Amino acid sequence: MDMELRQLRCLVAIVDEGTFTDAAAALGVSQAAVSRTLASLERALGVRLLRRTSRSVTPTGTGLRVVAHARRVLAEVDDLVRDATSGHAHLRVGYAWSALGRHTLPFQRRWSRAHPETDLHLVRVNSATSGLGEGACELAVVRRPLDDRRFESAIVGLERRLCAMASDDPLARRRSVRLADLAGRTLLVDRRTGTTTADLWPPDSRPATEDTHDVDDWLTVIATGRSVGMTAESTANQYPRPGVVYRPVRDGEPVAVRLAWWKDDPHPATQAVLELLTALYREA
């Protein structure tokens, strides 16, 4: 079926304006062109969309449904055009769990002061690429290397590795823990985006693991005392939760925080974001 956007725009214009003459004026075409365009749309769909009398034009029942769909399609197309042509005007930075932790608000405020011409939006997408591979953002904050060769990335800083546990857990009385303290526990992990796997432990003393897919679910289970979690320091800053405490893991390697972007289509603001995030982590 061949259908064109101009046909949908013509149909909506006729319904909105009320007559073929007014629709033609709104579209900047002749009345005959409006009639031909509508007729071609009705032929393509095989249904009648409008009832025409000498005084008015009203949609049929099918026409009402088609007009509603047409409005949504045209709105999506307009959004697509704005998104593709925005250039410096908009910047979406994706993240999976915890954005930039305590650096999140300073990043947003400093960016708005230094780059008022570019609107910054943080977008939470729980995927391996924090929304970059899904087209949900132009830049992404990730905490493990991306193997996909379509992307480029650079380390902007390091964060301590923390253990999350129930506030009444015996380990919560300590100021810090070691990996060996967790060997007999059940570790709750997000295999898609998480920074922790059982490989952090020696083969003969690895904890049991259970899967989770969302930070809120992760915290809810940990609060019951059934499991513990391992995470980057940013999670503790972003998600304080009654019933859950975070303790540094003394022998846990720091977590590298990376900024990632499309290798063949970097956003014009990539370098500026990279420099600002690196500066924020250096100030820590």
Side-chain angles (χ1 to χ4, degrees):
M1 179 182 296
D2 293 327
M3 187 183 304
E4 301 177 13
L5 292 176
R6 66 181 181 87
Q7 295 172 319
L8 300 182
R9 294 192 190 280
C10 179
L11 173 64
V12 170
I14 295 170
V15 173
D16 287 347
E17 301 299 329
T19 69
F20 279 59
T21 301
D22 291 339
L27 295 171
V29 299
S30 68
Q31 183 175 332
V34 169
S35 296
R36 288 194 299 269
T37 301
L38 176 67
S40 67
L41 178 59
E42 289 182 324
R43 284 195 303 272
L45 294 175
V47 294
R48 186 181 179 189
L49 300 174
L50 299 177
R51 296 187 186 93
R52 285 158 271 188
T53 69
S54 59
R55 293 186 177 182
S56 65
V57 177
T58 57
T60 64
T62 300
L64 285 172
R65 297 194 297 274
V66 172
V67 168
H69 282 293
R71 293 189 193 280
R72 290 195 291 270
V73 169
L74 293 173
E76 287 289 335
V77 170
D78 290 342
D79 287 344
L80 182 154
V81 172
R82 281 194 297 269
D83 183 67
T85 60
S86 61
H88 289 250
H90 300 283
L91 173 62
R92 297 169 300 174
V93 178
Y95 66 95
W97 272 40
S98 52
L100 299 158
R102 63 191 178 89
H103 301 302
T104 302
L105 185 56
F107 170 55
Q108 293 171 297
R109 289 182 171 175
R110 291 193 193 183
W111 181 266
S112 64
R113 288 197 299 267
H115 305 276
E117 75 286 354
T118 304
D119 290 333
L120 174 68
H121 301 277
L122 298 184
V123 183
R124 182 181 164 196
V125 182
N126 198 39
S127 74
T129 64
S130 297
L132 194 60
E134 292 78 11
C137 56
E138 289 76 43
L139 299 174
V141 176
V142 295
R143 288 180 171 80
R144 62 183 187 183
L146 294 178
D147 296 329
D148 196 320
R149 295 184 179 180
R150 297 176 299 169
F151 307 125
E152 198 77 66
S153 67
I155 295 176
V156 296
L158 299 175
E159 294 176 347
R160 292 186 302 169
R161 197 178 294 269
L162 305 182
C163 177
M165 64 192 78
S167 56
D168 59 355
D169 191 295
L171 291 176
R173 295 194 292 267
R174 303 185 186 183
R175 297 179 62 181
S176 63
V177 298
R178 293 185 178 275
L179 289 172
D181 298 326
L182 309 173
R185 309 295 291 273
T186 298
L187 187 70
L188 204 56
V189 298
D190 182 347
R191 300 184 190 277
R192 290 183 299 176
T193 67
T195 58
T196 302
T197 69
D199 293 337
L200 284 174
W201 285 261
D204 59 346
S205 59
R206 289 175 178 169
T209 60
E210 289 185 6
D211 290 348
T212 188
H213 303 294
D214 181 83
V215 63
D216 288 310
D217 293 341
W218 182 78
L219 288 166
T220 298
V221 174
I222 288 172
T224 68
R226 195 180 79 209
S227 306
V228 297
M230 190 89 72
T231 188
E233 186 174 3
S234 57
T235 305
N237 296 114
Q238 200 84 345
Y239 295 101
R241 176 69 65 91
V244 175
V245 298
Y246 298 88
R247 296 291 182 262
V249 182
R250 279 180 286 172
D251 52 348
E253 293 184 1
V255 177
V257 182
R258 293 174 167 83
L259 184 70
W261 59 91
W262 284 91
K263 184 182 296 185
D264 63 352
D265 188 23
H267 190 279
T270 299
Q271 187 59 36
V273 174
L274 195 60
E275 292 173 0
L276 177 53
L277 292 183
T278 301
L280 284 169
Y281 274 92
R282 283 177 179 169
E283 292 172 8

